[in-house]
Amino acid sequence: PMTVQWQRFAKGTLVAPVHSPFSAGGGATAACASIAGQARYLVAEGFNAVFVCGTNGESFSCSLAERKAMLEMWMSTEEVRAKKLRVLAHVSCLAPPETVELARHAAALGVDAVSYMVPCFFKPVGDAAVAKMLADFALAVPTTPVLFYHFPDMTGVACSMERVLVAAREAAPNVVGAKFTHNDLADMQASIRAGFDVLIGSGDELLLPSLVLGTAGGFSVPGMMGGNRAILGIFEAYERGDLAAAAEYQDTARQMLGLLKRHPAGFVGAGKALAERAMGGAAPLGPPRPPISALSDAAELERLAAEMGRLIEKAR
């Protein structure tokens, strides 16, 4: 394994892109108590960081008050206070002033980093425009580390992450890296070699090649529903130099995520139902909000859980 000196994240960083809990009536604030159960479960499953109100957390479907309340609850958990979980807060909104409001709230709470995604309705065009938006955002929270959330499949904004990060850092030194949810690994490696911490968003598909190229770690969705053995196996096999075993674990993790992606409820709707089931009632998550579909049929949930269970057993 190559030696890389990361600025902010230790080798083996495993991030849970946590689901936002909603009550039966649809509200998030009243359901925040379940976050304590999520935190306990995730630490037991080997996670050492959480990404709050990201894509999986249905960020753009939540109000500002809900997003603040959920982040406050995460920051108050025993696991976060004991430094067993680091907190990365996604704060992007379509309205830039609301993005800054959430960022300053997160900074005041003492999060480990805030994550910024460019607007996906009226969009910046070109690397320079993206870099300026990122830098302007970062300057609003100058003492808090900032991660660029590069997810062009969702934002529709194509750019060179390396050029964006380098240009933004010139104006705002607290731009330290990125959550990279893309398949252009050359751009990811260039960013790492330019001195940025990069966490691979699609770790269930690309963690192994990303580790080879120097990433500090990545995210896992199936790991939040009992599939942690596959993603942890990639880290462990890579560290001992067994690339064949690491590739087998990666293939199993890929199949797990593929199972969620192919489901009619999608990876968020199906994943949220399976995650709630895996926690055994310790952390009710509730259904996702429209337009995301809910997996509400009990028999279908058990069928999907059995299929996921076969892949989980394969990784053990």
Side-chain angles (χ1 to χ4, degrees), residues 6-179:
W6 295 286
Q7 302 177 70
R8 302 285 174 178
F9 299 98
K11 181 168 59 176
T13 295
L14 180 57
V15 189
V18 294
H19 298 95
S20 294
F22 300 139
S23 66
T29 305
C32 278
S34 72
I35 287 172
Q38 281 182 276
R40 286 191 296 271
Y41 176 82
L42 293 171
V43 167
E45 293 294 290
F47 285 95
N48 48 39
V50 291
F51 193 69
V52 179
C53 283
T55 301
N56 232 33
E58 303 174 67
S59 56
F60 291 128
S61 297
C62 298
S63 70
L64 292 184
E66 288 174 327
R67 291 174 72 170
K68 288 179 180 180
M70 285 188 281
L71 183 59
E72 288 166 8
M73 181 59 75
W74 275 107
M75 294 301 293
S76 73
T77 63
E78 179 182 338
E79 289 72 18
V80 170
R81 293 199 310 269
K83 306 298 183 184
K84 295 178 181 179
L85 285 175
R86 303 185 74 180
V87 176
L88 316 179
H90 174 240
V91 297
S92 303
C93 304
L94 287 179
E98 293 183 345
T99 300
V100 170
E101 180 181 340
L102 286 182
R104 288 176 172 161
H105 172 260
L109 291 174
V111 299
D112 293 282
V114 292
S115 183
Y116 173 78
M117 174 187 282
V118 294
C120 53
F121 189 75
F122 293 119
K123 305 170 186 176
V125 178
D127 296 343
V130 174
K132 185 176 188 311
M133 291 200 75
L134 174 58
D136 287 348
F137 163 79
L139 289 171
V141 283
T143 61
T144 300
V146 170
L147 298 176
F148 179 47
Y149 189 177
H150 186 50
F151 196 174
D153 284 352
M154 290 294 280
T155 63
V157 176
C159 64
S160 162
M161 187 173 78
E162 178 212 7
R163 289 196 290 269
V164 165
L165 290 174
V166 168
R169 184 174 59 186
E170 290 178 359
N174 57 319
V175 174
V176 300
K179 176 186 178 185

Side-chain angles (χ1 to χ4, degrees), residues 145 185 243 296:
L185 297 185
L243 294 184
S296 54

